[in-house]
């Protein structure tokens, strides 16, 4: 018996040690005394290829002379990027990501934007509402709501956080609309209820910010009587759908920088209703514990 007990105890110790070893990461923590590049394989963790922040980061790598210094931008998705970020932060490992606000990554993680002395990403961004030509004549009430839709980064973040917390986007949008009657009154000022359930289509890119804004606007348009369909697609088809009148509106044009290419390709075929959100920002970001990395120049 005692012998068996001893074996059992030894096994327990072995299992515990093994489990601990498996838990603790093999990758080292951020070392402020060493150059950053080799610590992260000269890699910036990015998102999907179609995103404007990826185009801007390619430009930044060139502008700061990092391409020759073997820096590279890794493609993934917002979900993969934020998951990699979360793991790195849990272990205090170094990481550089493509970042933007409004987004819950800045609420959930201790992140900071890197200064951008060459101004590749621009200072701040605005998000514009884009509608199809002829919408004003065909659906004046919807046009007016889309034209009057305007909110703050904090408000958009609150919906994004709810969705990130597991809420269905349509439910999160409904909850927001219910909680902000004065705001909705402004968006629907002078608008009358429409009859006959006219159809309306909005297209969007399945980024957290666009999921939030599109669902909120769709909820308000439904309340005034429209039969609204929302369709997720890639960035280029979102613009093309509004240009060809296959869709009526989209609320996800990040300008003047992030969506610049698509905006210049399509601006003559769509109607720009102007800013729906002010004070968005795009750039490179790192965890705050990387104290001596404060500018893109510091990646050198
Ligand atoms: N984003 C979020 C998008 C716009 C919205 C910053 C990832 C981009 O085009 O980069």
């Amino acid at each position: 018996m005692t012998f068996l007990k001893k074996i059992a105890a030894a096994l327990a110790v072995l299992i515990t040690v093994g489990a601990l070893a498996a838990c603790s990461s093999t990758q080292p923590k951020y070392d402020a005394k060493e150059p950053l590049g080799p610590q992260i394989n000269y890699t910036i963790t990015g998102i999907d290829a179609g995103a404007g922040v990826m185009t801007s980061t390619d430009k930044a790598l060139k502008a700061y002379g990092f391409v020759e210094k073997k820096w590279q931008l890794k493609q993934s998705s917002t979900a993969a990027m934020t998951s990699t970020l979360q793991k790195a932060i849990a272990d205090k490992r170094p990481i550089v990501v493509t970042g933007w606000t409004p987004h819950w990554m800045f609420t959930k993680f201790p992140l900071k934007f890197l200064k951008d002395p060459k101004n590749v990403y621009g200072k701040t961004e605005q998000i514009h509402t884009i509608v199809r030509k002829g919408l004003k004549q065909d659906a004046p009430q919807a046009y007016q709501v889309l034209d009057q839709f305007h909110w703050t980064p904090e408000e958009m973040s609150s919906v994004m956080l709810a969705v990130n917390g597991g809420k269905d986007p349509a439910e999160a949008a409904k909850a927001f609309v219910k909680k902000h009657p004065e705001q909705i009154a402004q968006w629907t000022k002078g608008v009358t209820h429409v009859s006959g359930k006219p159809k309306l289509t909005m297209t969007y890119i399945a980024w957290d910010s666009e999921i939030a804004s599109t669902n909120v606007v769709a909820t308000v348009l439904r309340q005034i009587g429209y039969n609204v369909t929302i369709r997720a697609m890639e960035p280029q088809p979102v613009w093309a759908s509004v240009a060809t009148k296959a869709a009526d509106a989209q609320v996800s044009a990040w300008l003047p920088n992030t969506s610049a290419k698509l905006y210049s390709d399509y601006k003559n075929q769509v109607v720009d209703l102007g800013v729906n959100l002010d004070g968005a920002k795009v750039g490179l970001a790192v965890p705050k514990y990387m104290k001596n990395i404060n500018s893109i120049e510091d990646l050198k």
Side-chain angles (χ1 to χ4, degrees):
M1 260 330 236
T2 37
F3 178 67
L4 274 181
K5 263 190 190 161
K6 266 184 199 161
I7 288 182
L11 266 178
V13 168
L14 273 179
I15 287 166
T16 313
V17 168
L20 279 175
C23 279
S24 79
S25 164
T26 47
Q27 285 152 304
K29 288 186 176 173
Y30 173 58
D31 187 348
K33 290 186 210 87
E34 291 296 321
L36 176 63
Q39 295 187 59
I40 55 173
N41 270 322
Y42 299 91
T43 301
I44 293 166
T45 306
I47 58 168
D48 39 301
V53 66
M54 297 295 278
T55 315
S56 300
T57 303
D58 280 332
K59 275 192 201 142
L61 289 180
K62 289 198 190 95
Y64 287 87
F66 289 170
V67 180
E68 306 80 64
K69 298 203 164 66
K70 59 192 173 183
W71 279 88
Q72 50 174 344
L73 173 62
K74 196 181 151 206
Q75 256 181 44
S76 63
S77 63
T78 307
M81 184 270 276
T82 47
S83 143
T84 306
L85 182 61
Q86 179 157 27
K87 286 178 198 143
I89 286 175
D91 296 342
K92 290 235 157 48
R93 277 186 276 120
I95 185 165
V96 181
V97 299
T98 54
W100 64 93
T101 57
H103 193 274
W104 50 263
M105 67 178 120
F106 276 85
T107 320
K108 280 181 105 174
F109 307 130
L111 285 182
K112 62 181 178 186
F113 274 115
L114 296 182
K115 291 201 184 76
D116 173 21
K118 294 192 195 289
N119 202 29
V120 176
Y121 295 92
K123 295 250 161 345
T124 59
E125 292 263 277
Q126 283 110 27
I127 308 179
H128 287 224
T129 299
I130 308 289
V131 301
R132 70 165 169 87
K133 286 192 173 172
L135 187 72
K136 190 174 186 177
Q137 292 73 41
D138 302 342
Q141 308 299 334
Y143 178 93
Q144 199 168 335
V145 172
L146 287 157
D147 200 18
Q148 288 172 171
F149 164 57
H150 190 282
W151 61 347
T152 65
E154 293 70 32
E155 288 161 345
M156 181 188 246
S157 292
S158 72
V159 179
M160 291 162 86
L161 264 176
V163 175
N164 179 246
K167 230 188 177 146
D168 173 70
E171 292 306 316
K174 273 191 209 155
F176 178 88
V177 167
K178 205 169 169 194
K179 217 177 136 190
H180 295 80
E182 281 158 26
Q183 183 121 356
I184 309 309
Q186 282 175 12
W187 301 349
T188 55
K189 201 169 173 195
V191 175
T192 48
H193 198 277
V194 293
S195 55
K197 291 245 166 224
K199 279 190 180 145
L200 216 58
T201 302
M202 294 181 71
T203 48
Y204 69 105
I205 307 137
W207 287 319
D208 307 73
S209 39
E210 281 51 54
I211 291 171
S213 52
T214 308
N215 274 279
V216 166
V217 173
T219 303
V220 176
L221 290 169
R222 284 181 189 125
Q223 281 188 355
I224 61 163
Y226 286 94
N227 175 5
V228 186
T229 305
I230 65 169
R231 278 193 227 292
M233 44 186 79
E234 295 294 308
Q236 194 268 337
V238 163
W239 286 83
S241 66
V242 178
T244 59
K245 304 187 179 179
D248 298 293
Q250 60 113 328
V251 291
S252 32
W254 288 50
L255 295 167
N257 277 292
T258 310
S259 309
K261 173 77 174 71
L262 289 163
Y263 184 73
S264 80
D265 288 352
Y266 287 101
K267 66 173 187 291
N268 295 327
Q269 303 165 55
V270 297
V271 181
D272 179 0
L273 292 186
V275 176
N276 66 49
L277 180 143
D278 220 329
K281 188 168 167 54
V282 174
L284 292 182
V286 301
K288 284 183 178 159
Y289 54 76
M290 293 169 69
K291 285 214 168 69
N292 56 344
I293 307 291
N294 293 302
S295 163
I296 301 178
E297 300 274 11
D298 296 337
L299 302 185
K300 275 205 170 128

